[in-house]
């Protein structure tokens, strides 16, 4: 029987020493007997998401975890959101992430999240979905969480070399930007025209929509525009599941992660109780992972968003609590799998240090255990404890290859 | 308030075990309580200047410390010496480093340093500066220390693909070399002609110069030629200060380091007491660094040349003494800055092992401390002690990016 592997991704768990935690990081501070016991049975170290000192987004961090070179394949967040929304992109499509927003008649942005709208977005998206622009380009619109939305243009001769319409964060008072061609090719000019036509059409359709009439009655800002950003194309690299001939499953609450996993060729599993918040159901995710391993997937990836949120919000004790819950989840999993048959790995897409409240370029504690993987003594699991390990200072792509090699699916170079 | 950083560069400090020092390196042997105390509050390790096993020059080592890929941007030492001499290069200029030398009537080199001339070089350089060659190329000449001089050709259609005129070290008895085009392009042919014309002109002008008449009277060899080498163009990469949006200050006695710092966009600070020798004023440099940090620079770089000289001269105890002085300087600095507001880093541009008397490819002890940077236990500061640290086996460019990431100026990849 060939081996399987489980990878647990703790989004943004990597951190730096925090005074309130006696100068420890949340992961060092938390009591995590299962993480420690498993790490000391395997390879471990602090792994760089892309390269030392470069902070990455969740999207780029996950591309690297799934074995891609983000410098090669990453064009923008749009295509990832589109996949997250369930749109299967064609190579000729261009995709955006968007915000439902409130604008006035002259397209001045009054609220770039339309009052953080969270109901009626399905209806609003549906009203725009399927619009055909004058040059024949078809518009695909799918709602994501809250004010977020995925927008795809499908047609001939579309170019990603155009500017987008979102004036940016905290730019209320500026107008929706005109799209401009960023080179002199006719495709770019034609695409910018299509985007500007779409901006007008969205305003016409959304302004008259019953959802917005109802919002106005209730004194809420109308969602009468979608601001577009993150333009890009589908990643131009083969799905890693195809390249390696493996079946992969990804279990997550976060739409971005699910989108990247789908682009990478994974079957994705989402449940309503996977909230991508602190209240996500850790044990239900674990049970689903165990089930998918039993069903025969070669590689099951289980993603937890909570530590990243705690980092952005500077809540060290919440991050400690995420680490403890994750450790208990791991304990639950270990009671249901055989480490001789199934490797277990752990990593993060990036560090989100609480004191920085944003992603940093610091490397992330990582391990890969099970079977007869090489091992070293380890005092405890966490940033400072794993520095002497064999994965230290490797990159996420190195770590991906190491896992796949233990599954026996990396082609031998030479003979 | 955004954070600041200080970087101390100990030129050539890296070394290998020395029998006379009980098998320790100078840095391991020296009592350096401040270096040790600081290193154990941060990231440390042995860092490779460019890649493992590749010895580098002071110029290339500093390009890497300042974040450049020397394989991309380094063309020759000439442009760096030009910047060190205060010449602001144009992209069309070609630059050389030169030696005042003594030649006979047939251009045979009698002394390639003109008796290590160290007076009158300003007058001699001035006599050549501003010469216009027959094709319209303008000549810029600026004296450096002793027999050293920077020469720049400014004009249309100049090429760096030509040979230079210096026959090389210990080649007395050979003649000044004719410059030859190294490809068939007209620019190269035209540039070689210009250089050969300059060789003739320099001899005519310098031979008749009063400084040389005076030297002859005193029995000293005349400085009647400049031997040219190290041809290159300005680095074709943007200034790192511009790229990252930071203000940088460089405090040094060494002209090469000052030249590279200017090319990289730093404001440079030099005083007469910064001798680039063992007698340099460590405390005055420290005071100037403290002053520049107070004045608001984001990154202040303080360079000490002394350990490199000790390495070249195989003087282990002098190198030990440099390390001790540097440690005392660091102690002085630490009494005037707040580590919560200002990170402190330490590195070298390369190793200059005493037993080798030249640069080697060995990595260099390095640290980065302050704020809430991750830390590890450390017994003492030096080559063998820092091997278990988190910077170990990273490169100088990685180290640069890590410092800049802690300043928060490295752009996030992805979203």
């Amino acid at each position: 029987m060939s081996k399987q592997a489980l990878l647990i991704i703790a989004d943004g768990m990597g951190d730096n020493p925090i005074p309130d935690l006696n100068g420890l990081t949340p992961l060092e501070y938390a009591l995590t007997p299962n993480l420690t016991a498993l790490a000391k049975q395997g390879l471990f170290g602090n792994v760089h998401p892309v390269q030392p000192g470069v902070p990455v987004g969740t999207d780029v961090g996950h591309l690297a975890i799934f074995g891609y070179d983000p410098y090669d394949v990453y064009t923008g967040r749009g295509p990832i959101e589109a996949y997250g929304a369930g749109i299967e992109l064609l190579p000729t499509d261009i995709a955006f992430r968007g915000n439902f927003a409130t604008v006035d008649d002259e397209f001045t942005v009054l609220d770039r999240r339309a009052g953080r709208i969270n109901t009626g977005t399905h209806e609003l998206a549906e009203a725009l979905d399927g619009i055909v622009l004058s040059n024949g380009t078809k518009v695909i619109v799918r709602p994501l969480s809250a004010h977020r939305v995925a927008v795809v243009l499908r047609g001939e001769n579309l170019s990603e070399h155009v500017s987008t319409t979102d004036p940016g964060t905290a730019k209320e008072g500026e107008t929706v930007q005109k799209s401009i061609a960023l080179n002199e090719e006719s495709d770019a000019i034609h695409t910018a025209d299509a985007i500007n036509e779409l901006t007008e059409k969205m305003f016409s359709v959304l302004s008259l929509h019953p959802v917005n009439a109802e919002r106005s009655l209730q004194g809420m800002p109308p969602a009468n525009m979608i601001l577009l950003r993150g333009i890009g194309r589908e990643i131009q690299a083969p799905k890693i599941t195809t390249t390696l001939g493996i079946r992969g499953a990804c279990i997550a609450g976060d739409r971005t992660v699910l989108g990247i996993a789908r682009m990478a060729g994974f079957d994705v599993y989402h449940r309503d109780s996977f909230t991508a918040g602190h209240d996500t159901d850790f044990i239900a995710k674990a049970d689903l992972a165990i089930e998918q391993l039993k069903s025969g997937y070669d590689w099951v990836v289980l993603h937890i968003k909570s530590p990243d949120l705690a980092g952005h919000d500077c809540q060290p004790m919440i991050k400690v609590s995420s680490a403890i819950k994750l450790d208990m989840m791991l304990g639950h999993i270990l009671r249901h799998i055989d480490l001789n048959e199934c490797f277990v790995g752990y990593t993060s897409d990036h560090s989100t240090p609480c004191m920085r409240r944003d992603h940093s370029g610091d490397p992330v504690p990582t391990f890969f255990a099970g079977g007869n993987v090489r091992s070293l003594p380890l005092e405890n699991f966490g940033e400072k404890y794993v520095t002497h390990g064999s994965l230290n200072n490797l990159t996420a792509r190195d770590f991906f290859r190491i896992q796949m090699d233990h599954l026996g699916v990396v082609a031998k170079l030479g003979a």
Side-chain angles (χ1 to χ4, degrees), chain A:
Chain A
M1 177 181 164
S2 70
K3 294 204 174 181
Q4 297 177 291
L6 169 68
L7 176 66
I8 298 172
I9 302 174
D11 202 307
M13 182 68 92
D15 214 307
N16 289 331
I18 298 175
D20 285 355
L21 302 181
N22 300 329
L24 297 174
T25 70
L27 198 53
E28 290 164 357
Y29 186 90
L31 201 65
T32 55
N34 294 303
L35 284 166
T36 304
L38 207 48
K40 77 168 66 162
Q41 293 175 55
L43 310 169
F44 54 79
N46 287 303
V47 166
H48 299 281
V50 173
Q51 55 177 327
V54 175
V56 301
T58 295
D59 44 9
V60 165
H62 281 82
L63 282 172
I65 288 173
F66 294 156
Y68 292 101
D69 180 351
Y71 291 107
D72 272 356
V73 305
Y74 183 72
T75 57
R77 179 74 163 258
I80 293 163
E81 299 296 326
Y83 265 98
I87 304 168
E88 192 78 33
L89 291 178
L90 303 179
T92 49
D93 291 348
I94 60 169
F96 308 82
R97 58 195 299 208
N99 277 12
F100 279 113
T102 306
V103 300
D104 68 13
D105 288 353
E106 287 168 340
F107 288 5
T108 302
V109 178
L110 304 177
D111 184 331
R112 66 189 301 278
R113 297 185 187 90
R116 289 193 177 271
I117 183 171
N118 57 20
T119 56
T121 54
H122 278 78
E123 292 83 348
L124 292 169
E126 205 165 17
L128 299 173
D129 189 50
I131 284 179
V132 177
L133 300 174
S134 55
N135 61 20
T137 298
K138 190 184 158 196
V139 182
I140 303 169
V141 181
R142 293 277 189 288
L144 294 163
S145 59
H147 56 278
R148 299 176 194 91
V149 59
V151 176
V152 171
L153 296 187
R154 177 163 293 172
E156 303 287 308
N157 308 321
L158 294 169
S159 167
E160 71 272 36
H161 302 294
V162 296
S163 66
T164 54
T165 64
D166 185 354
T169 302
K171 292 286 175 67
E172 274 86 355
E174 296 198 14
T175 58
V176 181
Q177 304 293 293
K178 283 256 178 215
S179 176
I180 297 168
L182 299 178
N183 65 32
E184 294 179 356
E185 288 173 23
S186 64
D187 286 4
I189 295 161
H190 153 101
T191 304
D193 289 345
I195 292 170
N196 293 327
E197 182 187 342
L198 176 60
T199 293
E200 300 280 348
K201 281 230 165 104
M202 291 194 292
F203 182 72
S204 314
V205 171
L206 294 175
S207 296
L208 300 173
H209 197 281
V211 165
N212 279 327
E214 180 63 26
R215 287 179 69 81
S216 296
L217 279 180
Q218 298 185 9
M220 293 189 294
N224 57 7
M225 182 52 73
I226 295 177
L227 303 175
L228 301 174
R229 66 187 195 281
I231 186 170
R233 280 181 195 280
E234 182 190 34
I235 61 172
Q236 302 292 311
K239 295 182 190 304
I240 56 115
T241 51
T242 308
T243 311
L244 297 175
I246 59 169
R247 286 183 61 220
C250 179
I251 296 165
D254 184 89
R255 290 280 171 192
T256 302
V257 172
L258 291 167
I260 294 169
R262 290 189 68 230
M263 285 173 82
F266 287 74
D267 295 336
V268 300
Y269 295 92
H270 181 267
R271 301 276 183 275
D272 286 343
S273 69
F274 303 171
T275 63
H278 299 308
D279 60 345
T280 200
D281 191 338
F282 284 74
I283 299 301
K285 279 189 177 174
D287 284 335
L288 187 54
I290 294 160
E291 184 186 325
Q292 299 309 343
L293 286 165
K294 291 230 164 83
S295 82
Y297 280 102
D298 300 293
W299 196 30
V300 174
V301 173
L302 192 171
H303 177 265
I304 298 288
K305 186 70 179 174
S306 160
D308 182 53
L309 308 179
H312 282 288
D313 294 343
C314 189
Q315 295 179 308
M317 282 311 296
I318 302 276
K319 207 167 183 181
V320 168
S321 145
S322 285
I324 292 170
K325 287 185 200 166
L326 189 149
D327 188 73
M328 291 176 66
M329 177 185 80
L330 179 58
H332 179 76
I333 291 170
L334 291 177
R335 285 188 287 277
H336 291 85
I337 63 168
D338 177 355
L339 282 175
N340 290 311
E341 302 300 335
C342 181
F343 299 101
V344 177
Y346 165 93
T347 193
S348 296
D349 53 346
H350 52 72
S351 296
T352 311
C354 289
M355 309 301 285
R356 181 153 165 176
R357 305 189 67 154
D358 200 354
H359 306 183
S360 75
D362 296 293
V364 297
T366 296
F367 71 73
F368 185 67
N372 63 339
V373 173
R374 297 178 189 176
S375 64
L376 279 181
L378 179 67
E379 180 186 345
N380 194 352
F381 189 65
E383 287 77 354
K384 71 174 168 185
Y385 303 112
V386 302
T387 311
H388 66 289
S390 40
L391 300 181
N392 207 57
N393 277 336
L394 298 186
T395 66
R397 292 187 75 205
D398 294 326
F399 180 55
F400 168 78
R401 256 183 275 105
I402 287 167
Q403 294 169 84
M404 294 304 111
D405 181 47
H406 279 87
L407 290 182
V409 296
V410 180
K412 191 192 291 176
L413 190 64

